[in-house]
Amino acid sequence: AVVGLFIVIEDILGKAAASRGIGIAVDVSVALLLGFSFNALHRYVEGAIERALIRSKHDAANALRRLAEEVPFMESSDALLARTVDETRAVLGAAAVLVYERIDGVYRLSAMSGTGNAPDTISIDDIAFVRLRKTRGPLELADAVGSLGSDGAIFPFLIRAALTGALVCRRRASGEAFAPDEMALLAGVAHEVGAEISAIRARHQAEVLDAVLGGTMTISDARARL
């Protein structure tokens, strides 16, 4: 764009000089002036592009890394899930972010931020989750269209090779897909969230069991808590 702009300006000035009978020296001076101006304009345009595009991507990547690093220090599953879906959606500009957990033989919607339809429960053998169990890595939903449709990507929660849930990120409103580095960062976030959610659930179950064995909680209360 910058080079094209200079060509147009030089052509206009050259024609203006020719129409007024100005000599070749002026034409050369104009060309030299544009040439010296190019470096300054190049630096300005480069800085503007960095501020508008690269800086925002850099900030988004740092926010996802910070989320992944702080997840292991959270102790409330509700707060952890809410922060995960809210921050991930805000950082990526995704239409929606969802978390599913494997509960009672199905995958249940545990948290959601954003708009759009999302099934409350998904079959244990939904094609997207079957593919996740097979590949154990991020998956574009368009490659395994099931109950979640084809919009976005899904990232597994893996605990000792078992798929305990997944993080689902819908595409941006612009329709822009996630870049490979964003997919890698989201996979890291999903890994940390899945591990911590399982740890919190295990601690909660142990506390309930201790309360039952200690006689401070009834069996019926324990079932309700679990």
Side-chain angles (χ1 to χ4, degrees):
V2 172
V3 172
L5 178 63
F6 273 142
I7 291 174
V8 171
I9 292 174
E10 185 175 9
D11 185 59
I12 292 173
L13 292 177
K15 288 180 179 178
S19 66
R20 289 172 173 73
I22 300 176
I24 192 172
V26 174
D27 193 23
V28 171
S29 299
V30 169
L32 288 174
L33 178 62
L34 290 173
F36 287 124
S37 301
F38 183 82
N39 284 336
L41 186 57
H42 176 270
R43 287 193 298 270
Y44 175 79
V45 172
E46 188 178 56
I49 291 174
E50 181 176 355
R51 288 190 298 272
L53 299 178
I54 301 175
R55 181 61 182 272
S56 63
K57 294 285 187 181
H58 181 71
D59 290 344
N62 283 340
L64 288 176
R65 291 191 188 97
R66 183 169 58 250
L67 174 61
E69 290 170 357
E70 293 178 355
V71 158
F73 300 95
M74 299 187 70
E75 297 188 2
S76 165
S77 60
D78 291 339
L80 170 57
L81 291 175
R83 180 182 176 187
T84 298
V85 295
D86 288 342
E87 288 194 12
T88 303
R89 184 179 68 85
V91 166
L92 295 176
V97 175
L98 311 89
V99 168
Y100 282 88
E101 291 185 82
R102 182 169 179 166
I103 301 172
D104 297 333
V106 295
Y107 290 101
R108 296 187 182 277
L109 181 63
S110 297
M112 176 179 177
S113 177
T115 58
N117 297 324
D120 291 329
T121 61
I122 298 177
S123 167
I124 201 72
D125 284 330
D126 180 86
I127 184 61
F129 286 90
V130 170
R131 195 70 55 81
L132 281 185
R133 291 198 291 270
K134 175 186 176 184
T135 62
R136 301 180 183 179
L139 175 70
E140 292 283 354
L141 287 172
D143 296 332
V145 180
S147 299
L148 288 167
S150 60
D151 174 23
I154 185 169
F155 305 85
F157 294 169
L158 291 171
I159 304 298
R160 296 181 179 177
L163 184 67
T164 61
L167 176 72
V168 180
C169 295
R170 299 300 191 186
R171 288 194 178 188
R172 301 175 175 93
S174 63
E176 179 188 358
F178 301 120
D181 58 333
E182 291 175 321
M183 293 285 285
L185 287 169
L186 285 168
V189 170
H191 173 75
E192 295 296 339
V193 170
E196 187 58 24
I197 284 293
S198 293
I200 291 173
R201 303 289 192 221
R203 287 198 299 269
H204 178 62
Q205 291 171 359
E207 290 169 358
V208 171
L209 179 59
D210 287 343
V212 171
L213 294 177
T216 59
M217 184 180 296
T218 64
I219 296 295
S220 59
D221 289 340
R223 285 176 179 156
R225 288 281 300 275
L226 294 174

